[in-house]
Amino acid sequence: MISVFGSANMDLVAYVAEAPKRGETVTGHRFRTVPGGKGANQAIAAARAGAHVAFLGAVGDDGFGAEMRATLAQAGIDVRGLREVPGPSGIAHIVVDDEGGNSIIVVPGANGTIAGPSGEDLAAIARSDALLLQLELPMEAVVAAAQAAQVSGVPVYLTPAPARPLPDELLDAVTTIVPNEHEAAAITGAAGAEAALDALLERVEEALITLGSEGALYGSRSGERLRVPAVKVEAVDTTAAGDTFVGAFAVARSEGMSVADALGFASTAAALSVQREGASTSMPTRHEIEAALP
């Protein structure tokens, strides 16, 4: 089982020819709402990639919260750890341009009320094969969850987004950190993916930097280093491609795949996702991933 301790947001997605600059108003050509949030996205990605998944988080007592709970449950995810709190659910305002690029504003809502894992959360984490974390919950809650997993010998995958300074007590409990190239640069201050990887490996056992159309770069303290090219496709919407990659990679590694095979599996999953619109709606099934593997 994979546990995901993270955010659930309703994505409010506007599609435009070109994203507006500061002070500019543009006319969009479409709008949709899609259940998302980095935590929920990774949970759905892992479930569709073949894992039994437990989601641990919070939604508000509004319509968005009910819809997000239903979406996770329909994906086969255990939602007993998804608490409901008074007030609004988290939202993400996403602008997607015609080239498939995006910019995102997150308002935490219910996610910001989580002070730490509950007793039930701790029990779920302890019996997991892996724990997936992101930074859309309060930092103290993320640290507590990571430390609980470490005590139980559960591998911890951290997506450090939104990028911010990372306390040592968090990184000491992380097995694999998975930033994109911008997050890696912001965290380390290093110029270039190779230098950022070296800096990350001074603080964690494994680092995996996703590089968009340039693929991914992996390194470990044992000396293993791999660069995997991206699967070349025509991108329609890159929203949640990184979450798809992380969810699929964690599933593959939990099943005992080698790092190289897991990277190929995750890259294929991400490539499939960017050819579809939306976040959770774009994520491929295990059958689709395996059928597309080179």
Side-chain angles (χ1 to χ4, degrees):
M1 181 183 76
I2 290 178
S3 289
V4 181
F5 183 71
S7 58
N9 296 324
M10 183 60 74
D11 292 345
L12 312 177
V13 190
Y15 295 88
V16 298
E18 185 175 346
K21 302 175 180 63
R22 184 176 182 180
E24 180 183 17
T25 299
V26 300
T27 299
H29 48 74
R30 196 151 57 89
F31 173 79
R32 64 191 302 213
T33 59
V34 183
K38 296 195 74 64
N41 288 343
Q42 291 184 7
I44 292 172
R48 290 189 178 163
H52 174 60
V53 178
F55 185 75
L56 315 172
V59 292
D61 56 358
D62 54 7
F64 286 163
E67 185 174 351
M68 285 185 286
R69 181 182 298 277
T71 297
L72 290 164
Q74 288 165 6
I77 294 166
D78 182 345
V79 294
R80 287 175 293 177
L82 179 59
R83 64 196 80 169
E84 181 181 291
V85 300
S89 298
I91 65 99
H93 180 272
I94 304 173
V95 177
V96 179
D97 63 36
D98 282 353
E99 294 183 357
N102 64 73
S103 57
I104 304 173
I105 300 170
V106 174
V107 181
N111 299 300
T113 68
I114 300 178
S118 67
E120 291 80 5
D121 295 341
L122 293 174
I125 291 169
R127 60 177 182 267
S128 299
D129 298 306
L131 173 66
L132 305 188
L133 297 171
Q134 319 78 35
L135 299 179
E136 290 182 344
L137 299 184
M139 183 63 78
E140 63 269 22
V142 176
V143 171
Q147 290 175 331
Q150 183 185 38
V151 168
S152 297
V154 175
V156 176
Y157 295 82
L158 172 67
T159 302
R164 66 184 74 176
L166 302 176
D168 289 338
E169 59 263 35
L170 173 58
L171 292 178
D172 288 345
V174 168
T175 309
T176 308
I177 190 168
V178 193
N180 64 28
E181 55 189 321
H182 307 294
E183 293 153 0
I187 293 165
T188 65
E194 294 282 354
L197 187 69
D198 290 335
L200 289 170
L201 290 175
E202 293 178 1
R203 305 185 71 188
V204 295
E205 295 178 24
E206 295 183 326
L208 174 55
I209 302 176
T210 58
L211 304 170
S213 62
E214 298 303 313
L217 179 64
Y218 169 88
S220 71
R221 284 182 175 172
S222 66
E224 186 175 11
R225 189 165 293 219
L226 295 169
R227 182 182 284 268
V228 177
V231 179
K232 299 302 181 183
V233 296
E234 188 70 29
V236 172
D237 183 353
T238 59
T239 305
D243 294 329
T244 303
F245 185 98
V246 172
F249 182 78
V251 170
R253 291 294 286 150
S254 295
E255 292 179 356
M257 287 190 202
S258 68
V259 172
D261 287 345
L263 288 171
F265 184 83
S267 295
T268 300
L272 290 169
S273 77
V274 302
Q275 297 176 74
R276 306 166 181 172
E277 292 182 346
S280 60
T281 53
S282 72
M283 295 168 177
T285 64
R286 178 66 172 251
H287 175 74
E288 289 172 323
I289 298 168
E290 290 180 338
L293 284 171

